[in-house]
PDB file of all heavy atoms in Angstrom:
ATOM      1  N   GLY R   1       4.274  11.001  13.145  1.00  0.00           N
ATOM      2  CA  GLY R   1       4.367   9.557  13.349  1.00  0.00           C
ATOM      3  C   GLY R   1       3.004   8.905  13.474  1.00  0.00           C
ATOM      4  O   GLY R   1       2.776   7.809  12.940  1.00  0.00           O
ATOM      5  N   VAL R   2       2.073   9.566  14.167  1.00  0.00           N
ATOM      6  CA  VAL R   2       0.705   9.040  14.290  1.00  0.00           C
ATOM      7  C   VAL R   2       0.044   8.963  12.914  1.00  0.00           C
ATOM      8  O   VAL R   2      -0.620   7.974  12.573  1.00  0.00           O
ATOM      9  CB  VAL R   2      -0.131   9.928  15.236  1.00  0.00           C
ATOM     10  CG1 VAL R   2      -1.607   9.517  15.188  1.00  0.00           C
ATOM     11  CG2 VAL R   2       0.391   9.826  16.663  1.00  0.00           C
ATOM     12  N   GLY R   3       0.232  10.015  12.112  1.00  0.00           N
ATOM     13  CA  GLY R   3      -0.326   9.998  10.763  1.00  0.00           C
ATOM     14  C   GLY R   3       0.220   8.859   9.925  1.00  0.00           C
ATOM     15  O   GLY R   3      -0.514   8.188   9.200  1.00  0.00           O
ATOM     16  N   SER R   4       1.529   8.602  10.051  1.00  0.00           N
ATOM     17  CA  SER R   4       2.149   7.490   9.321  1.00  0.00           C
ATOM     18  C   SER R   4       1.607   6.151   9.794  1.00  0.00           C
ATOM     19  O   SER R   4       1.334   5.259   8.984  1.00  0.00           O
ATOM     20  CB  SER R   4       3.673   7.541   9.514  1.00  0.00           C
ATOM     21  OG  SER R   4       4.294   6.429   8.920  1.00  0.00           O
ATOM     22  N   ALA R   5       1.439   5.997  11.097  1.00  0.00           N
ATOM     23  CA  ALA R   5       0.931   4.744  11.664  1.00  0.00           C
ATOM     24  C   ALA R   5      -0.491   4.460  11.196  1.00  0.00           C
ATOM     25  O   ALA R   5      -0.877   3.300  10.992  1.00  0.00           O
ATOM     26  CB  ALA R   5       0.982   4.806  13.193  1.00  0.00           C
ATOM     27  N   THR R   6      -1.281   5.504  11.017  1.00  0.00           N
ATOM     28  CA  THR R   6      -2.651   5.338  10.528  1.00  0.00           C
ATOM     29  C   THR R   6      -2.681   5.010   9.051  1.00  0.00           C
ATOM     30  O   THR R   6      -3.493   4.206   8.588  1.00  0.00           O
ATOM     31  CB  THR R   6      -3.454   6.636  10.777  1.00  0.00           C
ATOM     32  OG1 THR R   6      -3.385   6.977  12.163  1.00  0.00           O
ATOM     33  CG2 THR R   6      -4.893   6.483  10.349  1.00  0.00           C
ATOM     34  N   PHE R   7      -1.760   5.617   8.307  1.00  0.00           N
ATOM     35  CA  PHE R   7      -1.783   5.528   6.852  1.00  0.00           C
ATOM     36  C   PHE R   7      -1.444   4.138   6.324  1.00  0.00           C
ATOM     37  O   PHE R   7      -2.200   3.547   5.540  1.00  0.00           O
ATOM     38  CB  PHE R   7      -0.803   6.553   6.266  1.00  0.00           C
ATOM     39  CG  PHE R   7      -0.670   6.484   4.778  1.00  0.00           C
ATOM     40  CD1 PHE R   7      -1.558   7.164   3.966  1.00  0.00           C
ATOM     41  CD2 PHE R   7       0.327   5.722   4.183  1.00  0.00           C
ATOM     42  CE1 PHE R   7      -1.452   7.094   2.580  1.00  0.00           C
ATOM     43  CE2 PHE R   7       0.438   5.641   2.810  1.00  0.00           C
ATOM     44  CZ  PHE R   7      -0.453   6.330   2.010  1.00  0.00           C
ATOM     45  N   HIS R   8      -0.302   3.588   6.722  1.00  0.00           N
ATOM     46  CA  HIS R   8       0.238   2.408   6.046  1.00  0.00           C
ATOM     47  C   HIS R   8      -0.651   1.158   6.121  1.00  0.00           C
ATOM     48  O   HIS R   8      -0.904   0.534   5.077  1.00  0.00           O
ATOM     49  CB  HIS R   8       1.654   2.100   6.569  1.00  0.00           C
ATOM     50  CG  HIS R   8       2.679   3.059   6.067  1.00  0.00           C
ATOM     51  ND1 HIS R   8       2.978   4.243   6.730  1.00  0.00           N
ATOM     52  CD2 HIS R   8       3.460   3.032   4.970  1.00  0.00           C
ATOM     53  CE1 HIS R   8       3.909   4.889   6.050  1.00  0.00           C
ATOM     54  NE2 HIS R   8       4.218   4.189   4.981  1.00  0.00           N
ATOM     55  N   PRO R   9      -1.141   0.735   7.285  1.00  0.00           N
ATOM     56  CA  PRO R   9      -1.959  -0.486   7.282  1.00  0.00           C
ATOM     57  C   PRO R   9      -3.273  -0.336   6.523  1.00  0.00           C
ATOM     58  O   PRO R   9      -3.725  -1.264   5.847  1.00  0.00           O
ATOM     59  CB  PRO R   9      -2.206  -0.759   8.772  1.00  0.00           C
ATOM     60  CG  PRO R   9      -1.917   0.516   9.468  1.00  0.00           C
ATOM     61  CD  PRO R   9      -0.894   1.228   8.648  1.00  0.00           C
ATOM     62  N   GLU R  10      -3.886   0.867   6.589  1.00  0.00           N
ATOM     63  CA  GLU R  10      -5.177   1.047   5.939  1.00  0.00           C
ATOM     64  C   GLU R  10      -5.057   1.163   4.430  1.00  0.00           C
ATOM     65  O   GLU R  10      -5.880   0.629   3.680  1.00  0.00           O
ATOM     66  CB  GLU R  10      -5.883   2.279   6.523  1.00  0.00           C
ATOM     67  CG  GLU R  10      -6.525   2.021   7.866  1.00  0.00           C
ATOM     68  CD  GLU R  10      -7.506   0.845   7.779  1.00  0.00           C
ATOM     69  OE1 GLU R  10      -8.599   1.013   7.212  1.00  0.00           O
ATOM     70  OE2 GLU R  10      -7.165  -0.245   8.255  1.00  0.00           O
ATOM     71  N   VAL R  11      -4.029   1.860   3.937  1.00  0.00           N
ATOM     72  CA  VAL R  11      -3.876   1.968   2.487  1.00  0.00           C
ATOM     73  C   VAL R  11      -3.434   0.627   1.904  1.00  0.00           C
ATOM     74  O   VAL R  11      -3.810   0.265   0.782  1.00  0.00           O
ATOM     75  CB  VAL R  11      -2.892   3.096   2.115  1.00  0.00           C
ATOM     76  CG1 VAL R  11      -2.649   3.140   0.621  1.00  0.00           C
ATOM     77  CG2 VAL R  11      -3.450   4.436   2.558  1.00  0.00           C
ATOM     78  N   SER R  12      -2.651  -0.129   2.669  1.00  0.00           N
ATOM     79  CA  SER R  12      -2.296  -1.477   2.227  1.00  0.00           C
ATOM     80  C   SER R  12      -3.549  -2.336   2.083  1.00  0.00           C
ATOM     81  O   SER R  12      -3.664  -3.133   1.139  1.00  0.00           O
ATOM     82  CB  SER R  12      -1.321  -2.119   3.222  1.00  0.00           C
ATOM     83  OG  SER R  12      -1.009  -3.438   2.851  1.00  0.00           O
ATOM     84  N   ARG R  13      -4.502  -2.174   2.995  1.00  0.00           N
ATOM     85  CA  ARG R  13      -5.764  -2.911   2.907  1.00  0.00           C
ATOM     86  C   ARG R  13      -6.534  -2.518   1.639  1.00  0.00           C
ATOM     87  O   ARG R  13      -7.064  -3.367   0.921  1.00  0.00           O
ATOM     88  CB  ARG R  13      -6.623  -2.613   4.146  1.00  0.00           C
ATOM     89  CG  ARG R  13      -7.896  -3.455   4.230  1.00  0.00           C
ATOM     90  CD  ARG R  13      -8.937  -2.778   5.107  1.00  0.00           C
ATOM     91  NE  ARG R  13      -8.413  -2.443   6.411  1.00  0.00           N
ATOM     92  CZ  ARG R  13      -8.374  -3.278   7.453  1.00  0.00           C
ATOM     93  NH1 ARG R  13      -8.835  -4.509   7.313  1.00  0.00           N
ATOM     94  NH2 ARG R  13      -7.893  -2.892   8.617  1.00  0.00           N
ATOM     95  N   ILE R  14      -6.589  -1.213   1.348  1.00  0.00           N
ATOM     96  CA  ILE R  14      -7.305  -0.753   0.155  1.00  0.00           C
ATOM     97  C   ILE R  14      -6.620  -1.256  -1.111  1.00  0.00           C
ATOM     98  O   ILE R  14      -7.280  -1.604  -2.094  1.00  0.00           O
ATOM     99  CB  ILE R  14      -7.414   0.786   0.166  1.00  0.00           C
ATOM    100  CG1 ILE R  14      -8.398   1.221   1.270  1.00  0.00           C
ATOM    101  CG2 ILE R  14      -7.894   1.315  -1.181  1.00  0.00           C
ATOM    102  CD1 ILE R  14      -8.587   2.716   1.389  1.00  0.00           C
ATOM    103  N   ALA R  15      -5.284  -1.317  -1.094  1.00  0.00           N
ATOM    104  CA  ALA R  15      -4.565  -1.876  -2.247  1.00  0.00           C
ATOM    105  C   ALA R  15      -4.988  -3.319  -2.482  1.00  0.00           C
ATOM    106  O   ALA R  15      -5.182  -3.754  -3.625  1.00  0.00           O
ATOM    107  CB  ALA R  15      -3.055  -1.793  -2.021  1.00  0.00           C
ATOM    108  N   ARG R  16      -5.170  -4.079  -1.406  1.00  0.00           N
ATOM    109  CA  ARG R  16      -5.608  -5.471  -1.531  1.00  0.00           C
ATOM    110  C   ARG R  16      -7.033  -5.537  -2.074  1.00  0.00           C
ATOM    111  O   ARG R  16      -7.354  -6.407  -2.887  1.00  0.00           O
ATOM    112  CB  ARG R  16      -5.501  -6.168  -0.177  1.00  0.00           C
ATOM    113  CG  ARG R  16      -5.686  -7.689  -0.224  1.00  0.00           C
ATOM    114  CD  ARG R  16      -5.457  -8.298   1.149  1.00  0.00           C
ATOM    115  NE  ARG R  16      -5.701  -9.727   1.165  1.00  0.00           N
ATOM    116  CZ  ARG R  16      -4.766 -10.665   0.989  1.00  0.00           C
ATOM    117  NH1 ARG R  16      -3.513 -10.297   0.764  1.00  0.00           N
ATOM    118  NH2 ARG R  16      -5.071 -11.939   1.032  1.00  0.00           N
ATOM    119  N   MET R  17      -7.897  -4.614  -1.620  1.00  0.00           N
ATOM    120  CA  MET R  17      -9.267  -4.576  -2.119  1.00  0.00           C
ATOM    121  C   MET R  17      -9.308  -4.352  -3.620  1.00  0.00           C
ATOM    122  O   MET R  17     -10.147  -4.920  -4.331  1.00  0.00           O
ATOM    123  CB  MET R  17     -10.042  -3.446  -1.432  1.00  0.00           C
ATOM    124  CG  MET R  17     -10.335  -3.652   0.036  1.00  0.00           C
ATOM    125  SD  MET R  17     -11.138  -2.172   0.716  1.00  0.00           S
ATOM    126  CE  MET R  17     -11.413  -2.695   2.423  1.00  0.00           C
ATOM    127  N   ALA R  18      -8.410  -3.501  -4.118  1.00  0.00           N
ATOM    128  CA  ALA R  18      -8.424  -3.109  -5.532  1.00  0.00           C
ATOM    129  C   ALA R  18      -7.556  -4.014  -6.399  1.00  0.00           C
ATOM    130  O   ALA R  18      -7.380  -3.751  -7.590  1.00  0.00           O
ATOM    131  CB  ALA R  18      -7.942  -1.663  -5.669  1.00  0.00           C
ATOM    132  N   SER R  19      -7.040  -5.099  -5.828  1.00  0.00           N
ATOM    133  CA  SER R  19      -6.040  -5.920  -6.517  1.00  0.00           C
ATOM    134  C   SER R  19      -6.621  -6.858  -7.558  1.00  0.00           C
ATOM    135  O   SER R  19      -5.881  -7.365  -8.407  1.00  0.00           O
ATOM    136  CB  SER R  19      -5.269  -6.755  -5.495  1.00  0.00           C
ATOM    137  OG  SER R  19      -6.119  -7.742  -4.901  1.00  0.00           O
ATOM    138  N   GLY R  20      -7.916  -7.135  -7.490  1.00  0.00           N
ATOM    139  CA  GLY R  20      -8.487  -8.144  -8.377  1.00  0.00           C
ATOM    140  C   GLY R  20      -7.893  -9.520  -8.144  1.00  0.00           C
ATOM    141  O   GLY R  20      -7.855 -10.361  -9.034  1.00  0.00           O
ATOM    142  N   GLY R  21      -7.415  -9.758  -6.918  1.00  0.00           N
ATOM    143  CA  GLY R  21      -6.788 -11.030  -6.584  1.00  0.00           C
ATOM    144  C   GLY R  21      -5.300 -11.071  -6.846  1.00  0.00           C
ATOM    145  O   GLY R  21      -4.617 -12.009  -6.424  1.00  0.00           O
ATOM    146  N   ARG R  22      -4.752 -10.066  -7.540  1.00  0.00           N
ATOM    147  CA  ARG R  22      -3.305 -10.005  -7.792  1.00  0.00           C
ATOM    148  C   ARG R  22      -2.651  -9.195  -6.674  1.00  0.00           C
ATOM    149  O   ARG R  22      -2.243  -8.044  -6.851  1.00  0.00           O
ATOM    150  CB  ARG R  22      -3.040  -9.400  -9.171  1.00  0.00           C
ATOM    151  CG  ARG R  22      -3.341 -10.365 -10.307  1.00  0.00           C
ATOM    152  CD  ARG R  22      -3.195  -9.721 -11.657  1.00  0.00           C
ATOM    153  NE  ARG R  22      -4.436  -9.062 -12.062  1.00  0.00           N
ATOM    154  CZ  ARG R  22      -4.570  -8.381 -13.198  1.00  0.00           C
ATOM    155  NH1 ARG R  22      -3.548  -8.267 -14.022  1.00  0.00           N
ATOM    156  NH2 ARG R  22      -5.715  -7.823 -13.510  1.00  0.00           N
ATOM    157  N   PHE R  23      -2.568  -9.830  -5.504  1.00  0.00           N
ATOM    158  CA  PHE R  23      -2.160  -9.127  -4.296  1.00  0.00           C
ATOM    159  C   PHE R  23      -0.734  -8.591  -4.378  1.00  0.00           C
ATOM    160  O   PHE R  23      -0.441  -7.488  -3.925  1.00  0.00           O
ATOM    161  CB  PHE R  23      -2.291 -10.049  -3.078  1.00  0.00           C
ATOM    162  CG  PHE R  23      -3.666 -10.639  -2.908  1.00  0.00           C
ATOM    163  CD1 PHE R  23      -3.837 -11.994  -2.655  1.00  0.00           C
ATOM    164  CD2 PHE R  23      -4.790  -9.840  -3.020  1.00  0.00           C
ATOM    165  CE1 PHE R  23      -5.103 -12.537  -2.504  1.00  0.00           C
ATOM    166  CE2 PHE R  23      -6.055 -10.373  -2.865  1.00  0.00           C
ATOM    167  CZ  PHE R  23      -6.218 -11.729  -2.609  1.00  0.00           C
ATOM    168  N   GLY R  24       0.177  -9.388  -4.933  1.00  0.00           N
ATOM    169  CA  GLY R  24       1.563  -8.955  -5.038  1.00  0.00           C
ATOM    170  C   GLY R  24       1.712  -7.742  -5.934  1.00  0.00           C
ATOM    171  O   GLY R  24       2.463  -6.807  -5.612  1.00  0.00           O
ATOM    172  N   THR R  25       1.007  -7.728  -7.052  1.00  0.00           N
ATOM    173  CA  THR R  25       1.053  -6.586  -7.960  1.00  0.00           C
ATOM    174  C   THR R  25       0.566  -5.318  -7.273  1.00  0.00           C
ATOM    175  O   THR R  25       1.190  -4.260  -7.369  1.00  0.00           O
ATOM    176  CB  THR R  25       0.185  -6.864  -9.205  1.00  0.00           C
ATOM    177  OG1 THR R  25       0.675  -8.030  -9.866  1.00  0.00           O
ATOM    178  CG2 THR R  25       0.194  -5.683 -10.162  1.00  0.00           C
ATOM    179  N   ALA R  26      -0.550  -5.430  -6.549  1.00  0.00           N
ATOM    180  CA  ALA R  26      -1.112  -4.270  -5.857  1.00  0.00           C
ATOM    181  C   ALA R  26      -0.156  -3.744  -4.797  1.00  0.00           C
ATOM    182  O   ALA R  26       0.030  -2.527  -4.651  1.00  0.00           O
ATOM    183  CB  ALA R  26      -2.451  -4.638  -5.225  1.00  0.00           C
ATOM    184  N   GLN R  27       0.470  -4.648  -4.040  1.00  0.00           N
ATOM    185  CA  GLN R  27       1.401  -4.205  -3.007  1.00  0.00           C
ATOM    186  C   GLN R  27       2.653  -3.579  -3.620  1.00  0.00           C
ATOM    187  O   GLN R  27       3.236  -2.659  -3.045  1.00  0.00           O
ATOM    188  CB  GLN R  27       1.783  -5.380  -2.103  1.00  0.00           C
ATOM    189  CG  GLN R  27       0.646  -5.909  -1.240  1.00  0.00           C
ATOM    190  CD  GLN R  27       0.044  -4.854  -0.328  1.00  0.00           C
ATOM    191  OE1 GLN R  27       0.738  -3.975   0.157  1.00  0.00           O
ATOM    192  NE2 GLN R  27      -1.254  -4.958  -0.091  1.00  0.00           N
ATOM    193  N   SER R  28       3.071  -4.046  -4.788  1.00  0.00           N
ATOM    194  CA  SER R  28       4.215  -3.439  -5.462  1.00  0.00           C
ATOM    195  C   SER R  28       3.900  -2.010  -5.886  1.00  0.00           C
ATOM    196  O   SER R  28       4.730  -1.112  -5.750  1.00  0.00           O
ATOM    197  CB  SER R  28       4.620  -4.268  -6.680  1.00  0.00           C
ATOM    198  OG  SER R  28       5.241  -5.468  -6.286  1.00  0.00           O
ATOM    199  N   VAL R  29       2.698  -1.796  -6.422  1.00  0.00           N
ATOM    200  CA  VAL R  29       2.272  -0.444  -6.797  1.00  0.00           C
ATOM    201  C   VAL R  29       2.273   0.457  -5.566  1.00  0.00           C
ATOM    202  O   VAL R  29       2.740   1.607  -5.609  1.00  0.00           O
ATOM    203  CB  VAL R  29       0.879  -0.470  -7.452  1.00  0.00           C
ATOM    204  CG1 VAL R  29       0.354   0.943  -7.670  1.00  0.00           C
ATOM    205  CG2 VAL R  29       0.936  -1.216  -8.783  1.00  0.00           C
ATOM    206  N   PHE R  30       1.751  -0.067  -4.469  1.00  0.00           N
ATOM    207  CA  PHE R  30       1.733   0.680  -3.207  1.00  0.00           C
ATOM    208  C   PHE R  30       3.145   1.045  -2.768  1.00  0.00           C
ATOM    209  O   PHE R  30       3.441   2.195  -2.428  1.00  0.00           O
ATOM    210  CB  PHE R  30       1.035  -0.180  -2.142  1.00  0.00           C
ATOM    211  CG  PHE R  30       1.102   0.376  -0.750  1.00  0.00           C
ATOM    212  CD1 PHE R  30       0.680   1.660  -0.477  1.00  0.00           C
ATOM    213  CD2 PHE R  30       1.572  -0.401   0.304  1.00  0.00           C
ATOM    214  CE1 PHE R  30       0.720   2.172   0.818  1.00  0.00           C
ATOM    215  CE2 PHE R  30       1.626   0.089   1.587  1.00  0.00           C
ATOM    216  CZ  PHE R  30       1.195   1.388   1.853  1.00  0.00           C
ATOM    217  N   GLN R  31       4.056   0.077  -2.824  1.00  0.00           N
ATOM    218  CA  GLN R  31       5.424   0.296  -2.357  1.00  0.00           C
ATOM    219  C   GLN R  31       6.189   1.283  -3.230  1.00  0.00           C
ATOM    220  O   GLN R  31       6.943   2.113  -2.716  1.00  0.00           O
ATOM    221  CB  GLN R  31       6.176  -1.034  -2.321  1.00  0.00           C
ATOM    222  CG  GLN R  31       5.841  -1.894  -1.126  1.00  0.00           C
ATOM    223  CD  GLN R  31       6.227  -1.212   0.177  1.00  0.00           C
ATOM    224  OE1 GLN R  31       7.362  -0.842   0.392  1.00  0.00           O
ATOM    225  NE2 GLN R  31       5.252  -1.035   1.036  1.00  0.00           N
ATOM    226  N   VAL R  32       6.018   1.207  -4.526  1.00  0.00           N
ATOM    227  CA  VAL R  32       6.804   2.069  -5.397  1.00  0.00           C
ATOM    228  C   VAL R  32       6.433   3.538  -5.185  1.00  0.00           C
ATOM    229  O   VAL R  32       7.283   4.426  -5.314  1.00  0.00           O
ATOM    230  CB  VAL R  32       6.655   1.657  -6.877  1.00  0.00           C
ATOM    231  CG1 VAL R  32       5.357   2.153  -7.483  1.00  0.00           C
ATOM    232  CG2 VAL R  32       7.842   2.156  -7.689  1.00  0.00           C
ATOM    233  N   GLY R  33       5.179   3.810  -4.832  1.00  0.00           N
ATOM    234  CA  GLY R  33       4.803   5.178  -4.496  1.00  0.00           C
ATOM    235  C   GLY R  33       5.608   5.703  -3.326  1.00  0.00           C
ATOM    236  O   GLY R  33       6.078   6.852  -3.327  1.00  0.00           O
ATOM    237  N   GLY R  34       5.812   4.846  -2.315  1.00  0.00           N
ATOM    238  CA  GLY R  34       6.613   5.245  -1.163  1.00  0.00           C
ATOM    239  C   GLY R  34       8.054   5.531  -1.530  1.00  0.00           C
ATOM    240  O   GLY R  34       8.661   6.493  -1.033  1.00  0.00           O
ATOM    241  N   TYR R  35       8.625   4.698  -2.394  1.00  0.00           N
ATOM    242  CA  TYR R  35      10.025   4.915  -2.796  1.00  0.00           C
ATOM    243  C   TYR R  35      10.181   6.218  -3.570  1.00  0.00           C
ATOM    244  O   TYR R  35      11.182   6.928  -3.413  1.00  0.00           O
ATOM    245  CB  TYR R  35      10.527   3.733  -3.621  1.00  0.00           C
ATOM    246  CG  TYR R  35      10.865   2.524  -2.783  1.00  0.00           C
ATOM    247  CD1 TYR R  35      10.174   1.324  -2.947  1.00  0.00           C
ATOM    248  CD2 TYR R  35      11.869   2.572  -1.830  1.00  0.00           C
ATOM    249  CE1 TYR R  35      10.478   0.215  -2.170  1.00  0.00           C
ATOM    250  CE2 TYR R  35      12.179   1.468  -1.055  1.00  0.00           C
ATOM    251  CZ  TYR R  35      11.476   0.293  -1.228  1.00  0.00           C
ATOM    252  OH  TYR R  35      11.773  -0.795  -0.458  1.00  0.00           O
ATOM    253  N   VAL R  36       9.200   6.552  -4.416  1.00  0.00           N
ATOM    254  CA  VAL R  36       9.255   7.818  -5.148  1.00  0.00           C
ATOM    255  C   VAL R  36       9.214   8.988  -4.160  1.00  0.00           C
ATOM    256  O   VAL R  36       9.980   9.958  -4.290  1.00  0.00           O
ATOM    257  CB  VAL R  36       8.096   7.908  -6.157  1.00  0.00           C
ATOM    258  CG1 VAL R  36       8.005   9.315  -6.751  1.00  0.00           C
ATOM    259  CG2 VAL R  36       8.277   6.883  -7.266  1.00  0.00           C
ATOM    260  N   GLY R  37       8.320   8.907  -3.186  1.00  0.00           N
ATOM    261  CA  GLY R  37       8.242   9.967  -2.175  1.00  0.00           C
ATOM    262  C   GLY R  37       9.520  10.108  -1.386  1.00  0.00           C
ATOM    263  O   GLY R  37       9.992  11.230  -1.124  1.00  0.00           O
ATOM    264  N   ASN R  38      10.105   8.977  -0.999  1.00  0.00           N
ATOM    265  CA  ASN R  38      11.363   9.007  -0.248  1.00  0.00           C
ATOM    266  C   ASN R  38      12.485   9.649  -1.050  1.00  0.00           C
ATOM    267  O   ASN R  38      13.331  10.364  -0.510  1.00  0.00           O
ATOM    268  CB  ASN R  38      11.768   7.582   0.147  1.00  0.00           C
ATOM    269  CG  ASN R  38      11.179   7.170   1.481  1.00  0.00           C
ATOM    270  OD1 ASN R  38      11.177   7.948   2.432  1.00  0.00           O
ATOM    271  ND2 ASN R  38      10.669   5.961   1.563  1.00  0.00           N
ATOM    272  N   ALA R  39      12.512   9.385  -2.339  1.00  0.00           N
ATOM    273  CA  ALA R  39      13.578   9.935  -3.179  1.00  0.00           C
ATOM    274  C   ALA R  39      13.418  11.441  -3.377  1.00  0.00           C
ATOM    275  O   ALA R  39      14.410  12.168  -3.457  1.00  0.00           O
ATOM    276  CB  ALA R  39      13.583   9.228  -4.530  1.00  0.00           C
TER     277      ALA R  39
END
C-alpha cells in the first residue's frame, strides 16, 4: 500500500510533464496502463 501511495501521484506528475500541454491525453495513457495491469 505504501508503494502504491508513492507511485500514483508522482507518475501522474511525470505524465503531465511529458504531455506537451495535452494533459488529458497523457493522463489517459497513464490510466490505460493501470487497466491493463488490473486485467
Side-chain angles (χ1 to χ4, degrees):
V2 171
S4 175
T6 305
F7 176 85
H8 286 89
E10 282 304 286
V11 176
S12 177
R13 187 202 306 275
I14 290 180
R16 191 176 177 94
M17 291 176 178
S19 68
R22 285 175 273 178
F23 305 133
T25 301
Q27 292 302 326
S28 287
V29 172
F30 172 54
Q31 282 298 303
V32 79
Y35 283 118
V36 170
N38 271 317

